[in-house]
Amino acid sequence: MKLREQIFLYTLPVIPFWGFLFRTILDMNFSFIVGAMSFIWIGMLLAQKYAGGSSIRMPRYVLWYAIFTMYVVAVEIFVGEKLEYDDTDIITFLSRHKHVIALMFLIIVENLTFDITYIRRLLKIIALVLLSASFVTICQVFDPYFFVYKSKEIVLLMNTYYEGRLFSIYTWVNLNSVGFSFLSMFSVYFGINLLFKRDSRLAIGGVGLVSFLVQARWIMLNFLIISFQKVLIDRKVLISIAKYSFSIIILLTIGYFILPSIGIDIDKIIEERILNKSALTRLLAFELFANQFPKQPIFGTGGIKTVDLVKEIAGRSSQIHVGFLSLLYYYGVVGGAIYIVFLYELMKRLRRVALKTTYWGTYFAFVGFIVANITLVNLDLNEHGLLLALTVHKFFERTSIENKIALEQEEEEEAPPELVPTY
């Protein structure tokens, strides 16, 4: 395993802990460091490719994301006038732009080679991260500020908009990462263990507990979706669905009666988070969209909330709270069409490899990403869990070609020794 892959391995999975160290020791935001690393890395990659006389690998989905990113940047500058709005210069604007940074990392991932040593070590690290996140979340049930970055912004959010929610180890990077990156890493871990018929019950229990305790409906739903991938690799689909449904019912029943004994108020969580009226903000989103979108339908607002939208919201929500509606509002039908093509190319690529190898972990990580954007707004791929999922997809994409016959006979024969993760 080369140094570049090692940097990926020992940086991305544990970004929350790097964030903790940089915040507490250097008082620096590690996310900015990661962003700067992406540009340095791209520069080194370009120099290496140029010196070797080769070209950068750009699959169709990356190409479409690049087109979307360039479109977004152009619309935000010329339509939304964000340089003036944010009072910044073009270099700072680009260096901190989430879509630009995500694009850099997509290009980097597609031009690296990830071997079985990388996969073995990554699974060990993911297991430790899942265990740590589960432990921290349980501690936060009794002390909500345990291992929390206590900035004024985060404390304010935890006491207002996100009141009652837990964020595990992820306040040091991005609050939504508890749903995106945490569950994406679980999807990778679960998908590989399913492929090689390894027991994942402890991981399912721990991650399921975290997904419930963080008290966000979209995270609970994504956990159920990701764990459903077990059904796809079972030939007896109906029986597998029945087992899956029965397991979920048993898990929920046990949790309902056991968790109160350690001080977790299940009824309060169900009443205040699962059954509360915050879901009405999603219905409000459709009303807001219907009224505001026709005013600038082609290119959108350039990524800004207009005065008309702010007036119509009138404190009832923070934004148009459905990701794909916000996409159309901010970037118009042109931006929306480009983004949908990008998603189509990405999912087609992931599905093709999943069908060849029966590894569905990365595919379901992105299914979760898409479903989440039905209820919230987080359309960029600047999430370390999603990027890690793509590195594992890259490994299986290579092996699906080199070992196609062996992988297709996975259930009848033992997998090739060089592909089997040994811990």
Side-chain angles (χ1 to χ4, degrees):
M1 183 169 52
K2 297 179 181 179
L3 177 62
R4 294 171 301 177
E5 286 78 7
Q6 290 187 48
I7 295 174
F8 247 77
L9 179 64
Y10 297 116
T11 301
L12 289 188
V14 291
I15 273 184
F17 301 106
W18 282 115
F20 166 74
L21 292 175
F22 271 72
R23 288 287 194 185
T24 54
I25 298 175
L26 301 175
D27 194 26
M28 293 176 62
N29 186 345
F30 188 66
S31 296
F32 291 152
I33 305 297
V34 173
M37 285 172 55
S38 70
F39 287 95
I40 295 172
W41 217 330
I42 280 292
M44 294 172 61
L45 181 63
L46 287 171
Q48 179 189 11
K49 294 290 185 179
Y50 178 78
S54 57
S55 58
I56 288 182
R57 188 171 184 266
M58 289 274 285
R60 290 172 66 92
Y61 84 92
V62 178
L63 180 61
W64 279 104
Y65 194 76
I67 294 172
F68 175 74
T69 300
M70 290 186 288
Y71 170 82
V72 165
V73 169
V75 168
E76 288 183 352
I77 292 175
F78 297 110
V79 178
E81 299 181 344
K82 293 201 76 171
L83 295 182
E84 292 79 8
Y85 185 83
D86 294 337
D87 190 23
T88 187
D89 58 87
I90 186 68
I91 301 299
T92 303
F93 176 72
L94 291 175
S95 65
R96 295 185 177 182
H97 201 291
K98 288 186 175 182
H99 285 295
V100 174
I101 294 172
L103 174 62
M104 297 298 103
F105 273 111
L106 289 182
I107 295 172
I108 292 166
V109 167
E110 289 297 337
N111 286 273
L112 295 180
T113 301
F114 302 96
D115 58 18
I116 188 59
T117 301
Y118 172 88
I119 299 298
R120 288 195 192 108
R121 294 178 183 177
L122 177 62
L123 287 179
K124 292 179 180 179
I125 294 173
I126 288 178
L128 291 174
V129 171
L130 297 181
L131 181 63
S132 301
S134 301
F135 171 76
V136 169
T137 305
I138 292 173
C139 291
Q140 287 176 351
V141 172
F142 307 101
D143 178 8
Y145 294 100
F146 177 79
F147 199 69
V148 166
Y149 175 49
K150 301 179 185 68
S151 68
K152 292 181 180 179
E153 295 81 2
I154 290 177
V155 171
L156 178 63
L157 285 170
M158 290 181 65
N159 284 287
T160 54
Y161 186 71
Y162 290 125
E163 185 178 5
R165 296 191 190 181
L166 305 177
F167 296 96
S168 191
I169 59 178
Y170 292 98
T171 58
W172 304 96
V173 282
N174 180 356
L175 297 183
N176 281 337
S177 292
V178 69
F180 287 113
S181 289
F182 178 69
L183 288 181
S184 294
M185 288 195 290
F186 166 66
S187 187
V188 167
Y189 184 83
F190 187 44
I192 294 178
N193 280 351
L194 285 175
L195 178 61
F196 296 113
K197 298 178 175 59
R198 297 180 182 275
D199 192 353
S200 298
R201 283 176 292 185
L202 182 61
I204 293 173
V207 174
L209 179 63
V210 171
S211 300
F212 180 77
L213 292 180
V214 297
Q215 302 183 39
R217 287 182 295 263
W218 69 274
I219 295 177
M220 300 177 197
L221 175 61
N222 274 9
F223 166 72
L224 295 176
I225 290 172
I226 287 171
S227 59
F228 188 75
Q229 63 185 279
K230 185 179 189 308
V231 174
L232 292 183
I233 69 169
D234 196 328
R235 289 183 175 179
K236 300 176 181 178
V237 177
L238 293 179
I239 294 176
S240 184
I241 291 175
K243 288 181 178 179
Y244 172 79
S245 302
F246 181 73
S247 298
I248 293 297
I249 292 171
I250 293 297
L251 184 64
L252 292 175
T253 303
I254 292 174
Y256 185 81
F257 289 104
I258 298 297
L259 292 180
S261 66
I262 60 173
I264 299 175
D265 192 338
I266 300 298
D267 291 327
K268 182 179 179 181
I269 292 175
I270 293 174
E271 181 179 351
E272 295 185 0
R273 287 303 313 151
I274 298 178
L275 300 179
N276 77 349
K277 296 182 179 180
S278 65
L280 294 177
T281 59
R282 278 66 180 179
L283 299 177
L284 174 64
F286 286 91
E287 177 187 337
L288 296 172
F289 177 78
N291 294 334
Q292 298 297 325
F293 174 70
K295 297 177 181 180
Q296 294 173 279
I298 307 302
F299 301 109
T301 66
I304 64 169
K305 285 187 285 189
T306 62
V307 174
D308 288 344
L309 176 63
V310 175
K311 287 181 179 179
E312 186 174 357
I313 289 176
R316 293 177 293 170
S317 181
S318 59
Q319 59 185 326
I320 296 176
H321 227 296
V322 173
F324 294 108
L325 295 184
S326 283
L327 170 67
L328 291 169
Y329 169 75
Y330 286 130
Y331 305 114
V333 292
V334 176
I338 297 172
Y339 193 82
I340 293 301
V341 173
F342 149 69
L343 284 180
Y344 170 76
E345 292 292 343
L346 171 63
M347 298 308 290
K348 182 175 70 172
R349 190 181 190 89
L350 298 181
R351 183 174 181 274
R352 182 173 65 244
V353 172
L355 289 172
K356 288 181 178 179
T357 63
T358 65
Y359 163 71
W360 288 89
T362 301
Y363 180 86
F364 271 86
F366 279 91
V367 169
F369 170 78
I370 293 171
V371 171
N373 275 288
I374 297 174
T375 63
L376 58 93
V377 184
N378 199 108
L379 293 162
D380 66 89
L381 298 187
N382 196 22
E383 280 286 344
H384 61 278
L386 292 173
L387 294 171
L388 281 171
L390 286 174
T391 67
V392 179
H393 161 77
K394 185 83 185 318
F395 166 77
F396 280 103
E397 184 178 47
R398 176 175 59 84
T399 59
S400 70
I401 297 172
E402 297 176 356
N403 303 279
K404 180 180 178 181
I405 297 176
L407 285 168
E408 287 177 345
Q409 297 174 346
E410 185 73 36
E411 294 187 4
E412 287 78 22
E413 301 176 8
E414 185 175 319
E418 68 272 19
L419 294 180
V420 179
T422 55
Y423 309 112

